[in-house]
Structure formats: C-alpha cells, structure tokens
C-alpha cells in the first residue's frame, strides 16, 4: 500500500481522532531501557517508526508486546548494546537510543545515522555534549562506538536547541553520577513529554522557561505506565488540510495547548478556529488568505508543518512567503506542486514565495520524505481531478493511516 489516489475538491466535514505523537513515543520507548523494569506506554501510534523502535528494543534483549492500545516493555534483560545497521540508517530517530544505551550499558555500537532528504542532519551537538559527560567516541567503517566507564554530570550549553541532542543529554544525564545542567535545551512538547515519563519513573528533572534543564543523576529508576500525548504535527496537517480545501472539522484530542503558532497561522489564513476540551474545531473558507511564515524552534511555527502550509498557500488569495530556518533542504515538494499547476519561486535554499493560483490540477506525484508526502496528499485534496501520490511508505512512518483519516472527514481517498 504505497500509493494513495485522491479525488479532489471535496470540502471536509466531520471529526477525526488524532493519533499519539510519533516524536514523543520514540524517545520514551528508548527511555524504558533505563529502568530495567516493566513499563506500559499507552497511545503509541501504530506507525512504521514505532514498529522499527520496537524491533530495535527486542534486538537488544527487551521483551516487548502490544496490548489493547499500548506497548508493554520489559527491559530487565538488555543483553547487548549493538544496533543492527539497517535499523539505524533507516531511521534517524534511533539516535535517541545512543543516550539511553550509554545510560544503561555504558557503551554503544551503532551505524552513523547519516542524513536524509531534508538535510545532512549532523550529530556534532550530540557527540560534543556526551563527550562533556565522559563519553568517548571512536568511528570505524561508518560504525560509531561510544564508551563511558564513568558517565558524569556536566554543565553543557547547546549552540542550537537540537531536539535530539537535548533528548540524548537527558537520557544519559538521569543515569550519570552527579547533576547535569543543560543550557539552550530544546523545549518542544515531545522533549517535555520525555521528561514527564522519566519523572514518573523516579527521575528528578527541573526546567525553566528559558531552555535550562537540571537533570539530577544517579537515581534508581523504575518502570511506570504512561500516556503518550496526541501528535501536534498530525493535528496540524489535518487542520491545514481543512484550510486548504474548505469545510468544518473537529480534531478530537488535538493537543491545542501545544499548537499556538499553528492555530495563529490557521487564523491568519482565514480559518475560524475554536479550542475546547474535545479538541480543535476549525471552519474554513474556500480559499486561504496569503501569509508570511517562518519556521522556528518551539514555540515557533514547526518546521514539520512547513510543507503542508506551503501546499495550502498554492491556492492562496495572493502571494505568501515561507522561510525555513531549521533544515537546509525542505522544499523538495516544490517540483511536485508545480506539476499540479502551483506557481512557486524559490528564493535562496531557505525561502520560497507562492503566488496563489485559481486551481491546482491533479497529477501523479511522488513523496520523498514524511512531511512532504503528507503535504502532497493535502495538495491532492485541493486539486481538480485525480491525484496519485506514490512513495507513501514515507508517509506511514509518521501517520497511522492518512487516507483513512481524510475519508472520515468526507474526502475521496483510496490507499492501494
Ligand atoms: C526532531 O529531529 C524531529 N524528529 C524532527 O521531526 C523535527 O523536524 C526536528 O526535531 C526539529 O523540530 C524526531 O523527534 C524523531 P534537531 P532532530 O536535532 O532531533 C541541526 C518528523 O518529520 N543539528 O532539532 O533530528 C540539524 O541538522 C521529523 O517527524 C546539527 O547541526 O532535529 C537541523 O538542521 C523530521 N547538529 C537542526 O539542527 C546536531 O548535532 C535541528 O535538528 C543536531 C542537529
């Protein structure tokens, strides 16, 4: 099922439940290694990246099984600290196992995770921070070996609020001897969810609003039961989908308190957005207003919704400018959108201007990465005629079933 067929120009109506957060689930599943105990992680999304993480945990010796709507992990018998090559190079988020395995085993052998379509995605900040905590790294034939005979706390300052580097420092820090002060930490909701899980296991992690974390090390952690929050990026994808094609939808369980910048952008586009304990209700006109958007670390506009916003503004009632400040190559869908009659001018590699057109035309397009693929599905909803999106295996890395969800909102979408 790696192709999605969409018959466009049908306004969305109805309600859809938002799945659990991919980017919260993955580091929390890695963190279960630190307890040597049983944990139950509920509301994990049934997506390819979670399945890959589960396989990785099993390969390390954990007992893992799915139950009703969660995953049970027994990390009492982690027997090795080496990760299979295909597991790491195929999924960058396995990088959060680096900090967890250093914390649990004191050593790790893994493939260098490498880059992907959206950027080179170096790991210099991860390595530099962990080295300050006593971790020694060597690299041979593309494999990274980390060893930490005496993992200790440190005062670390990140040059950029890297989500992954922050998570690795937290995962190693809770097991280190002494305290770790992390300045310039990422404060994305997914990082804070990881901190909540670890506190539930007995860790002491203090934070202030300016990106300063104090991780108290050396405590014995025990397993716990934890609910993963809803996925703010999936919620934002469907929110902008409604803005793009028009209609009125309820996004059940959407994490509205984590979506301030997204909701603000949706309102600027002309959507009427109301938040309630049920979730986010949005009513949208047939044609979005143009906007000026710039991605930024949380609480700024999330880079993971930049492609979807770009797709929506191809039908905007004017010219929109979008600036991507996080990744260096996140406009790959421009060529596919232009196949659909979009009018987009790329400035430098970090900014584009979109001149809204009267109509998008259905076409055969190809997903190259997760969020760009979701954006092409949204463009298909907005286009006249049929759009065929190939390469949807990328989309299933982060969305349980984007076709099913849009069908629940009245769209004519078939996954084949
Ligand atoms: C996380 O990736 C997310 N992935 C990404 O979501 C998200 O786009 C990104 O954070 C930014 O919010 C997961 O949580 C699994 P970063 P991560 O480290 O941790 C540079 C999705 O679609 N950098 O905050 O890899 C890096 O190249 C994915 O769900 C260094 O230079 O992102 C990038 O330009 C895509 N050196 C910027 O920082 C480093 O050591 C932000 O990266 C680390 C990062």
């Amino acid at each position: 099922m790696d192709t999605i067929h969409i018959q466009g120009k049908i306004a969305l109506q109805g309600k859809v439940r938002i799945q659990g957060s991919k980017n919260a689930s993955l580091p929390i599943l890695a963190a279960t290694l630190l307890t040597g105990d049983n944990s139950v992680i509920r509301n994990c999304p049934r997506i390819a990246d979670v399945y890959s993480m589960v396989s990785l945990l099993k390969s390390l010796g954990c007992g893992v099984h799915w139950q009703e709507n969660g995953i049970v992990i027994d990390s009492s018998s982690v027997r090795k600290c080496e990760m299979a090559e295909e597991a790491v190079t195929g999924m960058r988020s396995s990088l959060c196992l680096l900090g967890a395995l250093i914390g649990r085993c004191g050593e790790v052998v893994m493939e260098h995770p490498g880059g992907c379509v959206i950027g080179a995605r170096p790991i210099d900040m991860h390595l530099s921070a962990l080295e300050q905590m006593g971790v020694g790294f060597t690299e041979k034939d593309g494999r990274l070996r980390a060893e930490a005979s005496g993992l200790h706390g440190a005062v670390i300052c990140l040059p950029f609020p890297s989500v992954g580097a922050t998570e690795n420092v937290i995962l190693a820090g809770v097991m280190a001897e002494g305290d770790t002060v992390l300045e310039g930490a990422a404060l994305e909701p997914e990082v804070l969810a990881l901190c909540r899980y670890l506190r539930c296991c007995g860790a002491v992690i203090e934070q202030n609003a300016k990106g300063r974390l104090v991780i108290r090390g050396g405590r014995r952690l025990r397993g716990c039961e934890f609910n993963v929050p809803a996925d703010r990026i999936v919620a934002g994808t469907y929110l902008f989908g409604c803005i793009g094609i028009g209609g009125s939808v309820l996004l059940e369980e959407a994490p509205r308190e984590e979506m301030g910048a997204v909701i603000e952008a949706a309102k600027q586009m002309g959507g009427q957005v109301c938040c309630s304990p049920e979730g986010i209700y949005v009513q949208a006109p047939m044609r979005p207003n143009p906007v000026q958007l710039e991605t930024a670390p949380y609480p700024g506009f999330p880079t993971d919704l930049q492609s979807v916003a770009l797709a929506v503004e191809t039908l905007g009632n004017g010219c929109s400018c979008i600036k991507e400040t996080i990744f260096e190559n996140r406009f790959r869908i421009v060529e596919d959108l232009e196949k659909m009659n979009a009018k987009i001018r790329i400035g430098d590699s970090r900014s584009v201007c979109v001149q809204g057109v009267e109509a998008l035309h259905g076409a055969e397009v190809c997903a190259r990465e997760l969020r760009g693929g979701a954006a092409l599905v949204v463009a298909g909803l907005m286009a006249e005629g049929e759009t065929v999106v190939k390469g949807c295996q990328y989309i299933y890395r982060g969305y349980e079933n984007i076709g099913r969800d849009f069908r629940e909102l009245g769209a004519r979408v078939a996954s084949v």
Side-chain angles (χ1 to χ4, degrees), residues 22-23 26 92-93 118 120-126 160-165 167 188 303-304 326-328 330 370-371:
K22 164 177 96 81
N23 292 347
L26 296 171
R92 170 161 174 114
S93 35
I118 65 176
R121 305 191 76 179
I123 61 170
D124 53 311
M125 294 183 209
H126 298 247
F160 178 85
S162 156
V163 171
E167 290 167 346
E188 267 67 2
T303 175
D304 293 344
I326 307 295
F327 289 104
E328 70 269 23
R330 209 162 198 179
L370 166 54
R371 305 302 176 186

Side-chain angles (χ1 to χ4, degrees), residues 203-260:
V204 176
I205 303 171
E206 297 146 18
Q207 82 189 64
N208 72 8
K210 296 187 181 60
R212 184 174 193 268
L213 295 178
V214 178
I215 302 127
R216 310 279 182 200
R219 284 166 171 74
R220 176 91 179 81
L221 302 183
R222 62 193 181 286
C224 77
E225 300 197 13
F226 187 81
N227 274 306
V228 167
D231 193 310
R232 63 189 172 105
I233 304 301
V234 170
T237 303
Y238 300 163
L239 176 62
F240 286 133
C242 182
I243 300 285
I245 184 54
S248 56
V249 304
L250 173 62
L251 306 172
E252 290 181 317
E253 301 179 28
R256 57 197 181 281
E257 67 286 350
E258 300 172 359
M259 298 176 66

Side-chain angles (χ1 to χ4, degrees), residues 38-372:
N38 286 307
S39 281
V40 182
I41 311 299
R42 292 201 172 82
N43 199 34
C44 277
R46 291 179 180 269
I47 56 176
D49 275 14
V50 167
Y51 297 142
S52 298
M53 181 59 81
V54 165
S55 301
L56 261 171
L57 291 173
K58 285 180 178 175
S59 73
L60 296 169
C62 294
V64 189
H65 68 272
W66 288 84
Q67 65 176 18
E68 183 53 25
N69 86 325
I71 304 176
V72 182
I73 302 105
D74 172 2
S75 64
S76 55
S77 60
V78 170
R79 61 172 179 274
K80 68 174 188 170
C81 58
E82 183 167 352
M83 288 186 274
E85 176 179 347
E86 63 283 357
V88 174
T89 49
M91 183 180 71
R92 170 161 174 114
S93 35
S94 54
L95 189 53
C96 57
L97 282 166
L98 176 60
L101 281 169
I102 287 171
R104 174 65 188 267
C105 315
E107 61 174 329
V108 189
V109 178
M110 66 186 290
E111 288 303 301
H112 195 292
C116 69
V117 163
I118 65 176
R121 305 191 76 179
I123 61 170
D124 53 311
M125 294 183 209
H126 298 247
L127 304 182
S128 164
L130 293 170
E131 281 167 350
Q132 293 173 64
M133 299 174 74
V135 183
F137 290 98
T138 53
E139 191 164 340
K140 191 171 171 225
D141 307 330
R143 289 179 77 69
L144 191 65
R145 174 182 288 278
E147 285 176 300
S149 48
L151 188 65
H152 58 74
V155 178
I156 299 167
C157 185
L158 287 180
F160 178 85
S162 156
V163 171
T166 300
E167 290 167 346
N168 268 328
V169 170
I170 291 168
L171 291 163
V174 292
M175 305 303 279
E177 199 52 46
D179 296 344
T180 297
V181 177
L182 179 58
E183 300 284 1
L187 291 178
E188 267 67 2
E190 296 77 25
V191 173
L192 304 187
L194 171 64
C195 292
R196 286 201 304 276
Y197 166 73
L198 288 168
R199 289 189 191 109
C200 172
C201 296
V204 176
I205 303 171
E206 297 146 18
Q207 82 189 64
N208 72 8
K210 296 187 181 60
R212 184 174 193 268
L213 295 178
V214 178
I215 302 127
R216 310 279 182 200
R219 284 166 171 74
R220 176 91 179 81
L221 302 183
R222 62 193 181 286
C224 77
E225 300 197 13
F226 187 81
N227 274 306
V228 167
D231 193 310
R232 63 189 172 105
I233 304 301
V234 170
T237 303
Y238 300 163
L239 176 62
F240 286 133
C242 182
I243 300 285
I245 184 54
S248 56
V249 304
L250 173 62
L251 306 172
E252 290 181 317
E253 301 179 28
R256 57 197 181 281
E257 67 286 350
E258 300 172 359
M259 298 176 66
V262 174
I263 290 169
E264 179 53 35
K267 287 180 176 175
Q268 288 174 10
M269 291 176 179
Q272 291 175 35
V273 184
C274 305
C275 295
S276 72
E278 277 185 294
I280 297 176
Y281 178 73
V282 52
Q283 201 157 17
M286 279 307 282
R287 192 165 187 191
N289 300 328
V291 292
Q292 314 297 319
L293 274 183
E294 181 167 329
T295 64
Y298 191 84
F301 188 84
T303 175
D304 293 344
L305 284 171
Q306 178 262 102
S307 297
V308 175
L310 171 57
V312 166
E313 287 301 345
T314 60
L315 282 185
N317 197 5
C319 181
S320 298
C321 291
I322 296 176
K323 190 169 174 55
E324 170 58 60
T325 68
I326 307 295
F327 289 104
E328 70 269 23
N329 194 22
R330 209 162 198 179
F331 292 126
R332 291 292 302 275
I333 64 165
V334 166
E335 55 189 278
D336 288 284
L337 293 174
E338 287 175 332
K339 281 176 70 176
M340 301 173 75
N341 188 43
K343 297 291 177 281
I344 302 170
R345 184 169 47 80
I346 294 187
D348 53 34
S349 67
R350 297 279 189 156
S351 61
V352 294
C353 286
V354 195
Q355 180 59 48
V357 294
E358 292 300 318
L360 287 182
H361 305 152
E364 183 171 302
V365 293
C366 193
R368 295 176 179 83
E369 40 87 21
L370 166 54
R371 305 302 176 186

